[in-house]
Amino acid sequence: MRKISLSILVLAAVLAIALMATAQEKAAPTLVGPDKCKMCHKDIYTAWEASGHAKAFTKLSAEEQKKAECVGCHVTGADATGKMIEGVTCESCHGAGSEYKSPKIMTKKWKDDVATYKKAAMDAGLVYPTAELCTKCHKAEGNANFKGFDFEKAKALVHPVAATTGAAGK
């Protein structure tokens, strides 16, 4: 009886360790900041830098910059070091990039096999924005400055380079 109890205890401990290891391996992706994206997507970065998204946080008044309901849409979040990423950056729309920024995924070979690399990037957390994603922030509710939102028109404003040169925009 004592051997069975000990065996069960050992088995439970092994399972607990395995579960903890799996949980650590599946840690949530982290934000890397727009400078990482700029390294390869220079044209898109330059277009973004001139956009309202890049200036979203600085457009808030000092009082609004202290309000969670404003900041939630006007900053991207904090990177792995805890540094706040101001403005609506690439990762606000495309998801935290720590996993998909890898050169194995974001490679120049992408154009040779778009389907494979797009799937790999999406499996690693890359998001292709939809109207539903955008309207989490671009909505009248709680936004005194709301002027309406047209997803199709907005795509050309946010990604003007991608609209004319293809998604790579390098």
Side-chain angles (χ1 to χ4, degrees):
M1 185 74 161
R2 189 176 251 192
K3 285 185 179 185
I4 293 173
S5 297
L6 184 58
S7 296
I8 292 173
L9 184 60
V10 169
L11 180 60
V14 169
L15 285 173
I17 290 169
L19 286 173
M20 287 190 306
T22 302
Q24 288 175 348
E25 288 174 22
K26 301 285 183 185
T30 57
L31 298 172
V32 297
D35 287 342
K36 291 284 186 192
C37 304
K38 175 174 115 173
M39 292 168 50
C40 297
H41 301 281
K42 293 176 184 91
D43 291 347
I44 292 173
Y45 178 89
T46 300
W48 164 80
E49 204 171 27
S51 76
H53 275 167
K55 300 168 184 74
F57 184 72
T58 59
K59 287 186 173 189
L60 295 174
S61 69
E63 182 180 317
E64 290 170 327
Q65 289 178 355
K66 296 174 187 171
K67 293 181 178 180
E69 63 269 21
C70 298
V71 173
C73 288
H74 287 259
V75 303
T76 299
D79 66 14
T81 67
K83 179 184 174 212
M84 186 60 61
I85 301 172
E86 294 180 0
V88 178
T89 69
C90 314
E91 294 170 290
S92 291
C93 305
H94 294 289
S98 64
E99 303 305 309
Y100 66 77
K101 72 172 177 59
S102 161
K104 291 178 183 173
I105 294 173
M106 292 292 169
T107 174
K108 291 179 182 179
K109 296 177 187 177
W110 182 291
K111 64 184 173 199
D112 298 330
D113 188 358
V114 173
T116 297
Y117 287 103
K118 181 177 180 178
K119 180 180 181 333
M122 291 177 75
D123 288 348
L126 179 69
V127 173
Y128 280 82
T130 62
E132 291 76 24
L133 175 74
C134 297
T135 55
K136 287 181 180 182
C137 287
H138 291 277
K139 60 185 178 183
E141 180 185 329
N143 184 352
N145 300 313
F146 183 72
K147 295 178 180 91
F149 181 74
D150 181 327
F151 178 70
E152 292 304 317
K153 287 181 183 176
K155 283 194 301 187
L157 296 172
V158 173
H159 262 267
V161 175
T164 59
T165 64
K170 293 183 181 187

